[in-house]
Amino acid sequence: MDTVALAVTDGMLHFELSLAHEVFASAPEGITGPWYDVAVCGPDPVRVERFQLVPDHGLDRLPLAGTVIVPGWADVDREPPADLVDAVRAAHDAGARVASLCTGAFVLAAAGLLDGRTATTHWAHTRALAERYPRVRVDPDVLYVDNGSVLTSAGKAAAMDLCLHLVRLDRGSATANAVARRLVVPPHRDGGQAQFVTAPVPAPGRHPLAALLPWAIERLDQPLTVEDLARQAGMSTRHLGRHFRTVTGTTPLQWLLTQRIRYAQELLETTDDSVETIAAATGMGTATTLRRHFGRTVGVPPDTYRRTFRARTRQESAGPDGTAPTG
């Protein structure tokens, strides 16, 4: 799925369009090998909010892409253009993975791709989406929904979460984290996290946990407690919990567990360390504990995750004839 097509038309929101282009158009420093081939597809020219955009290709290019991304749609009170809807449906029928950002979900719904599926969009428009498309199971309380070949996200910052999720699926956690570092955003937020977060993407150095979060990430191998975090932050456990909820949208212990799982994913992808060694390195203690939490969070055991990732890596590095390059 190396080709990412951004489906645009008059009335698209430039923030989500620019965000997706920034994630997929440039490889982060240190990443070797081929990166995504990004194509902006739409009628010529396109009015994106107050800007005029000349796409690289027409909408007929969408079915040739591995991934099609539909940015936010500005005027949700009217039906999206029929040519865009038809092209997105044709791309999905051709086998493309289709993802919407923010109100781009209205385009996917109009194409029938969300019928019988759970989906989300910006919280301010979830009721309109549910009323107009009653066959869609709209969840207003999540950041994004992954249905495999069809994905939807909530608004603005959640669009970044979904794009990073796609990179993680394709290239692994280490690469997704490298993209996040380049863009100076948090490396991961679970799709099931609530949309209502006071500061979902805190500015570096401008929130009470700015020093604490990297401190904790550097010590994931240690048995950190809420008391340890509060002591390091110089605040009470109650204030710590309040700040964590505001900055990360979750509790200190849940945030720690998420970081440990993501680090375990990275080690499974990039090393041959045993599950026992990874359990110690991520602060899980025992392989049994790691397997329990990993399976509950990721959906598969660590060994299965590693085999799947390694198989995908070998497939991506294979030549046109299916064999690995020899030099």
Side-chain angles (χ1 to χ4, degrees), residues 200-211:
V201 185
R206 295 185 181 181
H207 61 86
L209 305 182

Side-chain angles (χ1 to χ4, degrees), residues 5 23 57 59-60 68 74 80 103 156 162 173 189 209 226 248 251 304 311 319:
V23 169
H57 307 277
L59 290 172
D60 58 351
V68 172
T103 50
K156 305 304 179 183
L162 179 54
S173 296
R189 292 195 297 168
L209 305 182
V226 175
T248 72
T251 66
T304 302

Side-chain angles (χ1 to χ4, degrees), residues 214-287:
W215 179 88
I217 288 175
E218 291 175 359
R219 293 164 175 80
L220 292 178
D221 60 324
Q222 301 177 19
L224 297 175
T225 65
V226 175
E227 289 74 18
D228 294 331
L229 296 176
R231 188 179 308 111
Q232 177 65 25
M235 62 181 69
S236 69
T237 56
R238 177 177 296 181
H239 282 133
L240 179 76
R242 185 179 300 117
H243 285 307
F244 255 90
R245 180 64 66 179
T246 299
V247 173
T248 72
T250 189
T251 66
L253 289 181
Q254 184 58 50
W255 180 84
L256 269 176
L257 177 61
T258 298
Q259 305 314 309
R260 296 185 197 281
I261 294 296
R262 299 311 160 197
Y263 187 33
Q265 286 181 296
E266 185 170 338
L267 293 176
L268 288 166
E269 295 168 10
T270 59
T271 75
D272 294 317
D273 293 348
S274 67
V275 174
E276 290 77 10
T277 300
I278 293 175
T282 58
M284 293 289 190
T286 67

Side-chain angles (χ1 to χ4, degrees), residues 67-300:
T67 298
V68 172
I69 294 180
V70 182
W73 173 249
D75 190 358
V76 298
D77 293 329
R78 64 185 179 92
E79 290 295 316
D83 57 347
L84 174 64
V85 172
D86 292 342
V88 169
R89 184 189 300 114
H92 183 261
D93 291 345
R97 178 178 60 184
V98 179
S100 65
L101 308 181
C102 193
T103 50
F106 284 81
V107 178
L108 271 60
L113 302 187
L114 301 182
D115 288 355
R117 288 187 165 106
T118 301
T120 194
T121 188
H122 191 290
W123 63 266
H125 303 289
T126 51
R127 177 176 295 181
L129 182 65
E131 291 176 350
R132 189 177 306 169
Y133 303 101
R135 298 184 64 182
V136 181
R137 297 191 296 268
V138 179
D139 188 340
D141 298 323
V142 296
L143 295 177
Y144 58 85
V145 178
D146 182 348
N147 287 299
S149 64
V150 179
L151 305 92
T152 55
S153 85
K156 305 304 179 183
M160 175 66 76
D161 293 308
L162 179 54
C163 288
L164 291 176
H165 174 68
L166 292 173
V167 174
R168 184 176 299 103
L169 290 174
D170 296 342
R171 309 297 175 109
S173 296
T175 300
N177 291 343
V179 174
R181 284 194 297 271
R182 178 173 66 84
L183 300 177
V184 198
V185 298
H188 180 267
R189 292 195 297 168
D190 289 311
Q193 184 174 309
Q195 290 191 35
F196 296 97
V197 182
T198 304
V201 185
R206 295 185 181 181
H207 61 86
L209 305 182
L212 178 65
L213 299 185
W215 179 88
I217 288 175
E218 291 175 359
R219 293 164 175 80
L220 292 178
D221 60 324
Q222 301 177 19
L224 297 175
T225 65
V226 175
E227 289 74 18
D228 294 331
L229 296 176
R231 188 179 308 111
Q232 177 65 25
M235 62 181 69
S236 69
T237 56
R238 177 177 296 181
H239 282 133
L240 179 76
R242 185 179 300 117
H243 285 307
F244 255 90
R245 180 64 66 179
T246 299
V247 173
T248 72
T250 189
T251 66
L253 289 181
Q254 184 58 50
W255 180 84
L256 269 176
L257 177 61
T258 298
Q259 305 314 309
R260 296 185 197 281
I261 294 296
R262 299 311 160 197
Y263 187 33
Q265 286 181 296
E266 185 170 338
L267 293 176
L268 288 166
E269 295 168 10
T270 59
T271 75
D272 294 317
D273 293 348
S274 67
V275 174
E276 290 77 10
T277 300
I278 293 175
T282 58
M284 293 289 190
T286 67
T288 300
T289 301
L290 173 59
R291 287 190 174 98
R292 182 174 70 253
H293 288 298
F294 195 95
R296 183 181 304 159
T297 302
V298 181
V300 296

